[in-house]
Amino acid sequence: MSPLSLPQSRTTVLSPRLAALLRDHVGHDVFRLEPDTIGVGGPEVTDRILASRRATETERPTFKPLQGRSISRTEGSSVMRTIGADVRDALKRPLPEDVDLTGPWPLTGHLFLRDLILGADPRRLRLLMSRNLELTPKLTWSVIAVGAALPGWPRPGDALTGLAARAAEATGYQERRYAMGIYRRAASPVCFTVSTLVANALWLGAAFDEDTSHRNIIYESLRLLPPSWNLLRNASPEYPAIDSRIGPDDDVLLLPLLSHRDPALWEAPDEFRPERWDELDPDNTPGYLPFGHASERCWGRHLVMPLAELLLDRIRTAGLVIDPKQRTARVPLLGLLGVDEVRLVKPA
């Protein structure tokens, strides 16, 4: 079980590896995790490591090479600007009034965001947003292979999102496969991350005080269950010079999961206290890295916050509550850290 202090006697069960990290290493700055891997939880060492060099293409979470093809920073930035414009366009349109957000989260929120942002895109592209594709890369690429081969590829000039319009420019089977891969890489993390973040916030803190801002709730959820709970940096000559405990062949695993709960940095670190953000600056709080380091912030952070606030506003306005029968939620060991299922219901 996690050491979280949750409302209404809820229990969060972390995977054994996550629970062991919190049990054994909270408050430790540098420690050995594996024969070839050093863990880092201290904010000062973390800051120096992340500032020492930029992430390589294999260390970037969203824009790693795609089927062996490099994705340049210029292309990655352009893709994120495109999906950002799509999100802003979606938020400008009148939102449906009859949306039912009851049911299992984060799945329910994910489907809402998929339809809100990408609802007009062709089915072969929207299929790439299925959470079932997270099961294995082989399944993802099987769907992409079929979608790229089918006739009726979208055409430039069709009524599409900007992201789908980029895909429509692809010609030839291989380019279509690549375009579909980019579509999924850009769009799915937005929907996955936001819906997971809101599910985490609901489980950790609901019911919320009426005067607690959506933004503070999100910041505190990001602290206790940061979706990006670790940042891998491959062995590099800069690191032994920063700390002698890091060998020249050691990979480094930076762990916001630990720094976000370090008792030297946070009052009541295991408690959900959104009011702490009345006084703290999330961009300038030591050890707080939900969107990465100041030297290289996550490109999607300006999309995550307004979408998460939108969902929280809808849920709170509708008066939805966590199913009183649900007392336990599990947090599996995945790249995107979050509770596996939270059931939202209308109040009795």
Side-chain angles (χ1 to χ4, degrees):
M1 294 182 183
S2 83
L4 285 176
S5 175
L6 294 176
Q8 301 177 9
S9 301
R10 296 183 201 135
T11 300
T12 302
V13 180
L14 299 175
S15 76
R17 179 67 187 275
L18 295 171
L21 279 171
L22 289 172
R23 182 187 66 241
D24 298 337
H25 296 298
V26 165
H28 297 177
D29 60 346
V30 178
F31 51 92
R32 185 160 294 280
L33 270 176
E34 303 288 348
D36 59 351
T37 305
I38 291 290
V40 175
E44 292 183 8
V45 179
T46 295
D47 183 75
R48 294 177 65 190
I49 287 174
L50 292 176
S52 67
R53 67 167 176 83
R54 301 186 77 178
T56 65
E57 65 173 8
T58 59
E59 294 167 343
R60 288 181 283 157
T62 302
F63 294 111
K64 294 178 181 180
L66 188 61
Q67 291 286 286
R69 179 171 168 175
S70 292
I71 303 171
S72 69
R73 290 182 180 274
T74 300
E75 181 182 5
S77 178
S78 175
V79 169
M80 290 309 296
R81 287 196 300 271
T82 301
I83 185 64
D86 289 336
V87 169
R88 289 190 293 273
D89 288 344
L91 293 176
K92 290 176 184 176
R93 297 192 295 269
L95 298 175
E97 296 294 334
D98 58 348
V99 172
D100 183 5
L101 294 179
T102 59
W105 279 70
L107 177 61
T108 299
H110 170 76
L111 296 177
F112 171 80
L113 292 175
R114 180 201 64 187
D115 294 342
L116 175 71
I117 303 168
L118 308 166
D121 284 347
R123 179 173 173 78
R124 77 181 76 199
L125 295 178
R126 288 187 292 111
L127 276 174
L128 297 173
M129 302 300 294
S130 171
R131 295 184 75 96
N132 292 332
L133 299 187
E134 293 289 285
L135 296 174
T136 167
K138 185 175 181 180
L139 179 58
T140 300
W141 282 102
S142 296
V143 172
I144 287 175
V146 172
L150 287 173
W153 185 255
R155 297 169 298 180
D158 289 348
L160 303 167
T161 62
L163 195 61
R166 290 180 66 100
E169 296 173 358
T171 58
Y173 175 70
Q174 293 300 334
E175 287 301 310
R176 290 176 177 178
R177 290 178 77 242
Y178 180 78
M180 292 182 73
I182 287 289
Y183 185 98
R184 175 171 168 79
R185 285 278 189 92
S188 62
V190 174
C191 298
F192 287 176
T193 300
V194 172
S195 56
T196 297
L197 172 55
V198 172
N200 291 348
L202 294 168
W203 179 254
L204 294 172
F208 307 111
D209 292 338
E210 289 186 4
D211 59 351
T212 303
S213 72
H214 303 320
R215 184 148 293 209
N216 282 3
I217 291 169
I218 295 164
Y219 287 148
E220 186 70 347
S221 174
L222 283 165
R223 185 183 71 83
L224 284 171
L225 286 177
S228 296
W229 61 276
N230 71 84
L231 304 168
L232 176 65
R233 291 295 181 265
N234 295 318
S236 188
E238 294 91 348
Y239 302 154
I242 291 172
D243 193 292
S244 61
R245 289 168 289 185
I246 304 174
D249 298 322
D250 284 330
D251 294 333
V252 177
L253 192 68
L254 306 151
L255 292 158
L257 177 72
L258 302 184
S259 64
H260 284 196
R261 304 200 197 188
D262 189 335
L265 302 175
W266 309 93
E267 182 181 351
D270 296 323
E271 295 183 12
F272 187 86
R273 292 187 177 182
E275 64 273 10
R276 74 175 83 233
W277 296 102
D278 289 337
E279 307 296 333
L280 295 176
D281 177 1
D283 289 329
N284 194 31
T285 296
Y288 187 64
L289 298 168
F291 297 113
H293 187 257
S295 63
E296 198 167 10
R297 295 284 191 211
C298 170
W299 286 329
R301 68 188 181 118
H302 295 301
L303 312 181
V304 167
M305 293 302 293
L307 290 172
E309 289 182 83
L310 169 68
L311 285 175
L312 272 178
D313 182 70
R314 281 300 184 94
I315 291 166
R316 296 175 77 182
T317 299
L320 303 184
V321 298
I322 294 176
D323 186 345
K325 297 176 182 178
Q326 182 175 2
R327 294 298 183 186
T328 301
R330 299 184 179 277
V331 178
L333 183 62
L334 298 173
L336 182 64
L337 191 65
V339 291
D340 58 355
E341 182 176 296
V342 176
R343 298 189 299 274
L344 276 193
V345 299
K346 296 178 180 178

